[in-house]
Protein backbone atom coordinates (compact mmCIF):
# COMPACT_ATOMS: atom_id res chain seq x y z
CA UNK A 1 0.00 0.00 0.00
CA UNK A 2 1.35 3.45 -1.02
CA UNK A 3 1.10 6.06 1.72
CA UNK A 4 2.26 9.66 2.14
CA UNK A 5 4.52 10.37 5.08
CA UNK A 6 6.15 13.51 6.53
CA UNK A 7 9.77 13.28 7.65
CA UNK A 8 12.08 15.75 9.38
CA UNK A 9 14.11 17.25 6.52
CA UNK A 10 16.33 19.56 8.58
CA UNK A 11 16.59 21.14 12.01
CA UNK A 12 15.98 24.89 12.41
CA UNK A 13 18.87 25.17 14.89
CA UNK A 14 18.46 25.75 18.61
CA UNK A 15 17.88 29.50 18.11
CA UNK A 16 16.21 29.25 14.71
CA UNK A 17 12.65 29.87 13.60
CA UNK A 18 11.08 26.73 12.07
CA UNK A 19 10.14 26.82 8.38
CA UNK A 20 7.96 24.48 6.29
CA UNK A 21 11.16 23.34 4.53
CA UNK A 22 12.23 21.64 7.77
CA UNK A 23 9.65 18.98 6.81
CA UNK A 24 9.54 16.80 3.68
CA UNK A 25 6.68 14.82 2.16
CA UNK A 26 7.59 11.37 0.86
CA UNK A 27 5.80 8.35 -0.58
CA UNK A 28 6.41 5.01 1.08
CA UNK A 29 5.04 1.50 0.81
CA UNK A 30 3.66 -0.33 3.83
CA UNK A 31 2.96 -4.04 3.79
CA UNK A 32 -0.68 -4.71 4.64
CA UNK A 33 0.10 -8.02 6.41
CA UNK A 34 0.16 -7.45 10.16
CA UNK A 35 2.03 -9.12 12.99
CA UNK A 36 0.25 -10.15 16.18
CA UNK A 37 -0.69 -7.08 18.22
CA UNK A 38 -0.61 -4.72 15.23
CA UNK A 39 -3.34 -2.74 13.48
CA UNK A 40 -3.60 -0.86 10.20
CA UNK A 41 -5.06 2.62 10.71
CA UNK A 42 -6.29 5.32 8.36
CA UNK A 43 -5.42 8.77 9.69
CA UNK A 44 -8.32 11.21 10.06
CA UNK A 45 -6.76 14.18 11.90
CA UNK A 46 -3.30 15.19 13.11
CA UNK A 47 -2.35 17.82 15.67
CA UNK A 48 0.50 20.33 15.72
CA UNK A 49 1.47 21.74 19.11
CA UNK A 50 4.08 24.14 20.54
CA UNK A 51 6.03 21.39 22.39
CA UNK A 52 6.96 19.95 18.98
CA UNK A 53 9.38 22.84 18.46
CA UNK A 54 11.54 21.27 21.18
CA UNK A 55 11.45 17.91 19.35
CA UNK A 56 12.99 19.58 16.28
CA UNK A 57 16.24 20.08 18.26
CA UNK A 58 18.81 17.32 18.76
CA UNK A 59 18.46 18.01 22.48
CA UNK A 60 14.81 18.69 23.36
CA UNK A 61 15.73 20.16 26.76
CA UNK A 62 13.07 17.97 28.40
CA UNK A 63 13.71 14.49 29.71
CA UNK A 64 10.20 13.32 28.75
CA UNK A 65 10.47 14.43 25.07
CA UNK A 66 12.44 12.43 22.49
CA UNK A 67 13.90 14.37 19.56
CA UNK A 68 12.63 13.70 16.06
CA UNK A 69 15.32 12.08 13.90
CA UNK A 70 16.41 13.47 10.54
CA UNK A 71 14.80 11.77 7.51
CA UNK A 72 12.52 9.76 9.78
CA UNK A 73 8.76 10.04 10.07
CA UNK A 74 7.55 12.71 12.49
CA UNK A 75 4.88 11.87 15.09
CA UNK A 76 2.47 13.55 17.50
CA UNK A 77 -1.19 13.56 18.47
CA UNK A 78 -3.47 11.83 15.99
CA UNK A 79 -6.87 10.23 15.60
CA UNK A 80 -7.93 7.66 13.03
CA UNK A 81 -9.94 4.58 12.26
CA UNK A 82 -8.91 0.91 12.31
CA UNK A 83 -8.87 -0.65 8.83
CA UNK A 84 -7.68 -4.10 9.91
CA UNK A 85 -6.54 -5.59 13.19
CA UNK A 86 -4.50 -8.41 14.67
CA UNK A 87 -4.90 -6.96 18.15
CA UNK A 88 -7.67 -8.36 20.34
CA UNK A 89 -8.55 -4.94 21.74
CA UNK A 90 -9.55 -3.44 18.39
CA UNK A 91 -11.79 -4.29 15.46
CA UNK A 92 -12.28 -2.71 12.05
CA UNK A 93 -14.11 0.60 12.31
CA UNK A 94 -12.95 1.48 15.84
CA UNK A 95 -11.90 5.11 16.32
CA UNK A 96 -8.54 5.35 18.08
CA UNK A 97 -6.11 8.02 19.23
CA UNK A 98 -2.45 8.22 20.29
CA UNK A 99 0.16 10.78 21.38
CA UNK A 100 2.65 9.06 19.05
CA UNK A 101 0.72 8.94 15.79
CA UNK A 102 3.00 8.93 12.74
CA UNK A 103 2.45 11.74 10.24
CA UNK A 104 1.22 9.32 7.57
CA UNK A 105 -2.00 8.86 5.63
CA UNK A 106 -2.12 5.19 6.75
CA UNK A 107 0.11 3.45 9.27
CA UNK A 108 0.77 0.09 10.86
CA UNK A 109 0.82 0.67 14.61
CA UNK A 110 1.12 -1.42 17.76
CA UNK A 111 -2.27 -1.70 19.44
CA UNK A 112 -0.57 -1.12 22.81
CA UNK A 113 0.00 2.61 22.08
CA UNK A 114 -3.58 3.24 20.91
CA UNK A 115 -6.59 4.25 22.94
CA UNK A 116 -10.11 3.51 21.73
CA UNK A 117 -12.44 6.52 21.92
CA UNK A 118 -16.22 6.85 21.71
CA UNK A 119 -17.39 9.33 19.02
CA UNK A 120 -20.45 10.10 21.18
CA UNK A 121 -18.17 11.82 23.71
CA UNK A 122 -17.59 14.59 21.14
CA UNK A 123 -20.90 14.46 19.25
CA UNK A 124 -18.99 13.08 16.26
CA UNK A 125 -16.42 15.93 16.12
CA UNK A 126 -13.50 13.48 16.17
CA UNK A 127 -10.84 16.21 15.99
CA UNK A 128 -11.91 17.27 19.51
CA UNK A 129 -10.07 14.16 20.80
CA UNK A 130 -6.86 16.04 19.91
CA UNK A 131 -8.01 19.23 21.64
CA UNK A 132 -10.84 19.99 24.02
CA UNK A 133 -11.56 16.35 24.94
CA UNK A 134 -7.93 15.22 24.65
CA UNK A 135 -4.53 16.11 26.01
CA UNK A 136 -5.08 19.85 25.44
CA UNK A 137 -8.31 19.90 27.45
CA UNK A 138 -6.69 17.76 30.15
CA UNK A 139 -3.79 20.22 30.38
CA UNK A 140 -6.20 23.13 30.81
CA UNK A 141 -8.52 21.40 33.28
CA UNK A 142 -5.93 19.67 35.45
CA UNK A 143 -3.66 22.72 35.34
CA UNK A 144 -6.47 24.93 36.61
CA UNK A 145 -7.67 22.42 39.20
CA UNK A 146 -4.29 21.26 40.51
CA UNK A 147 -2.38 24.57 40.50
CA UNK A 148 -4.94 27.38 40.16
CA UNK A 149 -6.68 27.20 43.55
CA UNK A 150 -9.88 28.73 42.19
CA UNK A 151 -12.61 28.94 44.85
CA UNK A 152 -16.24 29.77 44.10
CA UNK A 153 -17.29 32.98 45.82
CA UNK A 154 -13.72 34.19 46.35
CA UNK A 155 -14.03 37.03 43.81
CA UNK A 156 -10.94 35.89 41.88
CA UNK A 157 -9.53 37.32 38.65
CA UNK A 158 -7.89 34.94 36.16
CA UNK A 159 -5.54 36.06 33.38
CA UNK A 160 -4.65 33.67 30.55
CA UNK A 161 -1.82 34.32 28.08
CA UNK A 162 -1.91 32.61 24.69
CA UNK A 163 -5.63 32.84 25.40
CA UNK A 164 -6.81 32.24 21.84
CA UNK A 165 -4.66 29.13 21.48
CA UNK A 166 -5.76 25.54 21.97
CA UNK A 167 -5.06 25.34 25.70
CA UNK A 168 -5.64 28.96 26.71
CA UNK A 169 -9.08 29.16 25.11
CA UNK A 170 -10.19 26.21 27.24
CA UNK A 171 -8.40 27.25 30.44
CA UNK A 172 -10.22 30.59 30.44
CA UNK A 173 -13.61 28.93 30.07
CA UNK A 174 -12.78 26.51 32.90
CA UNK A 175 -11.90 29.52 35.08
CA UNK A 176 -15.40 30.88 34.46
CA UNK A 177 -17.09 27.51 35.06
CA UNK A 178 -15.11 27.02 38.30
CA UNK A 179 -16.08 30.42 39.71
CA UNK A 180 -13.67 33.19 38.66
CA UNK A 181 -15.61 36.48 38.53
CA UNK A 182 -13.29 37.98 35.93
CA UNK A 183 -11.39 36.20 33.13
CA UNK A 184 -9.04 38.24 30.95
CA UNK A 185 -7.28 36.81 27.91
CA UNK A 186 -4.07 38.06 26.29
CA UNK A 187 -3.67 37.32 22.58
CA UNK A 188 -2.20 38.75 19.38
CA UNK A 189 -4.97 40.25 17.25
CA UNK A 190 -8.22 42.19 17.50
CA UNK A 191 -10.00 39.31 15.76
CA UNK A 192 -8.82 36.90 18.48
CA UNK A 193 -9.84 39.38 21.17
CA UNK A 194 -13.34 39.49 19.70
CA UNK A 195 -13.52 35.68 19.59
CA UNK A 196 -12.55 35.44 23.28
CA UNK A 197 -15.17 37.93 24.43
CA UNK A 198 -18.03 37.27 21.98
CA UNK A 199 -17.72 33.50 21.46
CA UNK A 200 -16.08 32.22 24.65
CA UNK A 201 -17.47 34.71 27.18
CA UNK A 202 -14.19 36.12 28.51
CA UNK A 203 -14.71 39.34 30.49
CA UNK A 204 -12.12 41.20 28.43
CA UNK A 205 -9.17 40.63 26.11
CA UNK A 206 -5.84 42.40 25.60
CA UNK A 207 -4.07 42.56 22.21
CA UNK A 208 -0.40 42.50 23.15
CA UNK A 209 0.66 43.57 19.64
CA UNK A 210 -1.45 46.77 19.76
CA UNK A 211 -2.32 47.67 23.35
CA UNK A 212 -0.19 49.14 26.12
CA UNK A 213 -0.33 45.86 28.02
CA UNK A 214 0.35 47.13 31.60
CA UNK A 215 -2.24 49.91 31.28
CA UNK A 216 -4.86 47.72 29.61
CA UNK A 217 -4.33 44.96 32.21
CA UNK A 218 -4.88 47.41 35.06
CA UNK A 219 -8.13 48.56 33.41
CA UNK A 220 -9.33 44.97 32.94
CA UNK A 221 -8.19 43.74 36.37
CA UNK A 222 -9.03 46.56 38.82
CA UNK A 223 -8.73 44.19 41.80
CA UNK A 224 -5.39 42.77 40.70
CA UNK A 225 -4.74 39.22 39.45
CA UNK A 226 -5.23 36.09 41.56
CA UNK A 227 -4.52 33.30 39.08
CA UNK A 228 -2.34 33.43 35.94
CA UNK A 229 -2.44 30.59 33.40
CA UNK A 230 0.86 31.12 31.60
CA UNK A 231 1.28 29.74 28.08
CA UNK A 232 3.85 32.21 26.76
CA UNK A 233 6.49 33.35 29.27
CA UNK A 234 8.80 36.24 28.43
CA UNK A 235 7.89 39.93 28.70
CA UNK A 236 4.12 39.36 28.75
CA UNK A 237 4.41 37.13 31.80
CA UNK A 238 6.70 39.61 33.55
CA UNK A 239 4.00 42.26 33.06
CA UNK A 240 1.24 40.01 34.42
CA UNK A 241 3.26 38.90 37.45
CA UNK A 242 3.97 42.56 38.32
CA UNK A 243 0.21 43.07 38.80
CA UNK A 244 -0.52 39.89 40.75
CA UNK A 245 -1.91 39.97 44.28
CA UNK A 246 -0.16 38.61 47.35
CA UNK A 247 -0.62 34.88 47.77
CA UNK A 248 -1.65 34.40 44.13
CA UNK A 249 -0.84 31.51 41.76
CA UNK A 250 0.97 31.17 38.43
CA UNK A 251 0.21 27.98 36.49
CA UNK A 252 3.33 27.45 34.39
CA UNK A 253 1.89 25.57 31.42
CA UNK A 254 4.02 26.69 28.46
CA UNK A 255 6.57 29.27 27.35
CA UNK A 256 6.01 29.52 23.59
CA UNK A 257 7.71 32.93 23.33
CA UNK A 258 10.96 31.21 24.35
CA UNK A 259 10.82 27.98 22.31
CA UNK A 260 12.99 29.30 19.45
CA UNK A 261 15.74 30.25 21.91
CA UNK A 262 18.44 27.96 23.26
CA UNK A 263 17.47 28.34 26.92
CA UNK A 264 16.58 25.71 29.54
CA UNK A 265 12.95 24.92 30.38
CA UNK A 266 11.46 26.68 32.24
CA UNK A 267 13.46 29.67 30.96
CA UNK A 268 15.25 31.91 33.49
CA UNK A 269 13.33 34.85 35.00
CA UNK A 270 14.45 38.46 35.33
CA UNK A 271 15.60 39.61 38.77
CA UNK A 272 12.63 41.97 38.97
CA UNK A 273 10.15 39.14 38.36
CA UNK A 274 11.93 36.90 40.87
CA UNK A 275 11.62 39.70 43.44
CA UNK A 276 7.89 40.15 42.65
CA UNK A 277 7.31 36.43 43.21
CA UNK A 278 9.28 36.49 46.47
CA UNK A 279 7.91 39.69 47.99
CA UNK A 280 4.26 38.87 47.20
CA UNK A 281 4.52 35.17 48.07
CA UNK A 282 3.28 34.17 44.60
CA UNK A 283 3.34 30.42 43.97
CA UNK A 284 4.71 29.67 40.49
CA UNK A 285 4.80 25.96 39.80
CA UNK A 286 5.56 24.11 36.61
CA UNK A 287 2.60 22.01 35.50
CA UNK A 288 3.15 18.72 33.67
CA UNK A 289 -0.08 17.01 32.68
CA UNK A 290 1.67 13.65 32.30
CA UNK A 291 2.13 13.60 36.10
CA UNK A 292 -1.65 13.58 36.60
CA UNK A 293 -2.80 10.88 34.20
CA UNK A 294 -4.46 8.97 37.08
CA UNK A 295 -7.06 11.77 37.02
CA UNK A 296 -7.47 11.80 33.24
CA UNK A 297 -10.56 9.59 32.94
CA UNK A 298 -12.74 11.71 35.23
CA UNK A 299 -11.34 14.90 33.69
CA UNK A 300 -12.10 13.78 30.11
CA UNK A 301 -15.65 12.88 31.16
CA UNK A 302 -16.09 16.38 32.62
CA UNK A 303 -14.70 18.00 29.44
CA UNK A 304 -17.00 15.87 27.28
CA UNK A 305 -20.03 16.87 29.33
CA UNK A 306 -19.17 20.56 29.07
CA UNK A 307 -18.64 20.35 25.31
CA UNK A 308 -21.81 18.34 24.66
CA UNK A 309 -23.94 20.64 26.84
CA UNK A 310 -22.58 23.75 25.10
CA UNK A 311 -21.12 25.14 28.34
CA UNK A 312 -17.69 24.94 26.72
CA UNK A 313 -17.16 26.24 23.18
CA UNK A 314 -14.43 24.75 21.02
CA UNK A 315 -12.41 26.86 18.60
CA UNK A 316 -10.43 25.14 15.83
CA UNK A 317 -8.35 26.17 12.84
CA UNK A 318 -8.46 23.32 10.31
CA UNK A 319 -6.08 22.90 7.37
CA UNK A 320 -6.63 20.16 4.78
CA UNK A 321 -3.99 17.72 3.54
CA UNK A 322 -0.91 15.99 4.91
CA UNK A 323 1.20 18.04 2.48
CA UNK A 324 0.40 21.11 4.63
CA UNK A 325 1.69 19.75 7.97
CA UNK A 326 4.82 21.93 7.93
CA UNK A 327 2.91 25.06 6.90
CA UNK A 328 0.30 24.46 9.64
CA UNK A 329 2.99 23.87 12.28
CA UNK A 330 4.89 27.08 11.42
CA UNK A 331 1.66 29.10 11.28
CA UNK A 332 0.69 27.82 14.75
CA UNK A 333 4.10 28.75 16.16
CA UNK A 334 3.54 32.34 14.94
CA UNK A 335 -0.02 32.51 16.32
CA UNK A 336 -1.79 32.01 12.99
CA UNK A 337 -4.38 29.73 14.62
CA UNK A 338 -7.44 30.57 16.68
CA UNK A 339 -8.09 27.62 19.00
CA UNK A 340 -6.62 24.22 18.24
CA UNK A 341 -4.59 23.85 15.02
CA UNK A 342 -5.79 20.67 13.30
CA UNK A 343 -4.83 19.08 10.00
CA UNK A 344 -7.54 17.00 8.36
CA UNK A 345 -5.96 14.05 6.55
CA UNK A 346 -9.02 12.12 5.38
CA UNK A 347 -12.81 11.96 5.73
Amino acid sequence: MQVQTVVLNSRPGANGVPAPENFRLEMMTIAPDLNDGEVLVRTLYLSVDPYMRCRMNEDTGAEYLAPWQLSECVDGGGVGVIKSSRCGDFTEGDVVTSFNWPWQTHAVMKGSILQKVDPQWVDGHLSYFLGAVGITGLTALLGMREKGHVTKGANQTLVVSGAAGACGSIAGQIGQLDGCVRVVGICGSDEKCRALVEQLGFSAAVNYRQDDVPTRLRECCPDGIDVYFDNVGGAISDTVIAQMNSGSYVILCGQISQYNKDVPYPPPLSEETKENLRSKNITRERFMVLNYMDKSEAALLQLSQWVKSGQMKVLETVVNGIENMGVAFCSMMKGGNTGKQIIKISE
Side-chain angles (χ1 to χ4, degrees), residues 146-214:
E146 297 295 325
K147 303 289 186 186
H149 303 271
V150 173
T151 311
K152 272 194 165 64
N155 202 35
Q156 288 164 301
T157 295
L158 165 69
V159 170
V160 182
S161 57
C167 192
S169 60
I170 292 178
Q173 293 182 81
I174 291 167
Q176 291 170 303
L177 289 162
D178 279 359
C180 290
V181 296
R182 196 177 281 111
V183 176
V184 177
I186 303 174
C187 56
S189 75
D190 288 342
E191 188 185 1
K192 288 181 179 181
C193 286
R194 278 194 298 275
L196 293 180
V197 174
E198 293 169 14
Q199 294 180 55
L200 304 187
F202 279 54
S203 317
V206 179
N207 178 350
Y208 71 86
R209 294 186 205 270
Q210 298 281 334
D211 298 338
D212 177 326
V213 178

Side-chain angles (χ1 to χ4, degrees), residues 295-346:
K295 300 186 177 183
S296 64
E297 204 170 323
L300 287 170
L301 181 60
Q302 173 68 85
L303 290 160
S304 167
Q305 287 170 343
W306 279 335
V307 168
K308 287 176 72 168
S309 68
Q311 289 173 279
M312 179 178 283
K313 308 283 191 295
V314 181
L315 301 180
E316 286 185 323
T317 299
V318 182
V319 168
N320 287 309
I322 196 166
E323 67 278 7
N324 291 313
M325 291 299 297
V327 171
F329 172 76
C330 295
S331 169
M332 178 274 307
M333 286 298 294
K334 293 191 184 99
N337 56 304
T338 299
K340 180 76 180 177
Q341 178 71 64
I342 294 286
I343 299 84
K344 184 177 181 179
I345 308 300
S346 67

